[in-house]
Amino acid sequence: MSANVQEAADAAIEPVSFVRVPAPEPPTSLQQLIHDWQLIKHREGGYFKETDRSPSTMELEKPQKGDSSKTETVIRNQSTLIYYLLTPDSPIGKFHKNINRITHILQRGKGQYVLVYPDGQVKSFRVGFDYKIGEVSQWVVPGGVFKASFLVPNEEFHNGLLISEVVVPGFDFEDHTFMKGEDELKTIVGPEKAAELAFLA
Ligand code: GUN
């Protein structure tokens, strides 16, 4: 078994109604978790909290801002760790990418991920603990690949999805890019696929 997402079973992209039209607020139990753990709203959607940032640092070589034909060396923490939560009132994590690969570990609930590779390939898979129906509980998203996620209804965790994410080198906004709406999606996957995925852009 591998955490390589290319090997995960393909899933059709069929969001349920509360993904298209979010609930006004989270169910009480998820509201309690958000409060107790002091999770905050993430700009991409959902809630999160950084729970660890390595005090040690490392160098990262990355394309230079303004001239990507050159590289520059920057300093980053060695790793970061977050909780990330999707809830019926914030059921979508919109497309974004990081230059570094990100390791995801499922904690509770169910969801679906959609990855868009630079060559236009689209990969979508379910996350959950029921491996017999193709759900995965650990997955690694390569650097430079756009990622979005949305909730799949589940009784086990009150229609929520709770995961942990580890980034090496540690998270820095300089390494992170949001997709520029449906227009950018269209240029990567073409108009037909972009229309299907527009709710995630
Ligand atoms: N701050 C804002 N977004 C993030 C994220 O995705 N990870 C971490 N570690 N910090 C953040």
Side-chain angles (χ1 to χ4, degrees):
M1 208 179 95
S2 164
N4 178 344
V5 292
Q6 288 297 340
E7 288 168 30
D10 282 305
I13 298 164
E14 291 161 347
V16 298
S17 58
F18 70 68
V19 171
R20 299 253 181 208
V21 183
E25 47 189 56
T28 318
S29 52
L30 298 182
Q31 180 75 69
Q32 187 74 47
L33 184 73
I34 291 164
H35 175 266
D36 291 346
W37 285 4
Q38 297 178 311
L39 304 182
I40 56 172
K41 283 223 154 167
H42 200 289
R43 286 203 304 189
E44 72 203 31
Y47 297 81
F48 88 111
K49 181 174 183 157
E50 188 176 283
T51 50
D52 184 70
R53 178 169 284 268
S54 169
S56 305
T57 56
M58 63 190 285
E59 291 184 345
L60 168 68
E61 193 165 315
K62 57 178 288 192
Q64 218 174 71
K65 262 199 271 175
D67 182 359
S68 58
S69 67
K70 296 199 185 118
T71 61
E72 61 178 334
T73 303
V74 294
I75 302 294
R76 296 285 182 261
N77 298 92
Q78 283 188 347
S79 65
T80 51
L81 173 64
I82 62 167
Y83 275 127
Y84 183 69
L85 175 72
L86 291 180
T87 56
D89 60 297
S90 196
I92 291 176
K94 294 202 164 193
F95 278 119
H96 59 281
K97 64 181 179 182
N98 195 291
I99 63 171
N100 303 305
R101 68 206 295 270
I102 301 187
T103 299
H104 303 71
I105 302 156
L106 179 64
Q107 302 288 345
R108 304 286 299 274
K110 285 185 195 287
Q112 187 160 337
Y113 273 69
V114 182
L115 306 186
V116 171
Y117 290 75
D119 66 359
Q121 185 207 337
V122 175
K123 172 83 195 180
S124 188
F125 56 95
R126 289 275 175 110
V127 307
F129 289 115
D130 198 349
Y131 69 90
K132 290 192 174 156
I133 57 167
E135 293 176 349
V136 300
S137 54
Q138 324 185 93
W139 58 105
V140 177
V141 175
V145 172
F146 277 111
K147 160 184 97 178
S149 55
F150 62 92
L151 267 183
V152 167
N154 63 88
E155 286 178 13
E156 172 230 327
F157 191 51
H158 320 280
N159 287 330
L161 171 70
L162 177 68
I163 68 165
S164 295
E165 289 189 28
V166 181
V167 197
V168 178
F171 182 88
D172 190 300
F173 266 115
E174 290 280 312
D175 306 335
H176 172 101
T177 313
F178 280 107
M179 186 178 276
K180 291 169 199 72
E182 201 180 334
D183 285 348
E184 184 169 13
L185 185 57
K186 248 187 234 163
T187 65
I188 309 172
V189 299
E192 207 169 302
K193 199 74 189 166
E196 184 193 357
L197 302 180
F199 73 105
L200 299 169

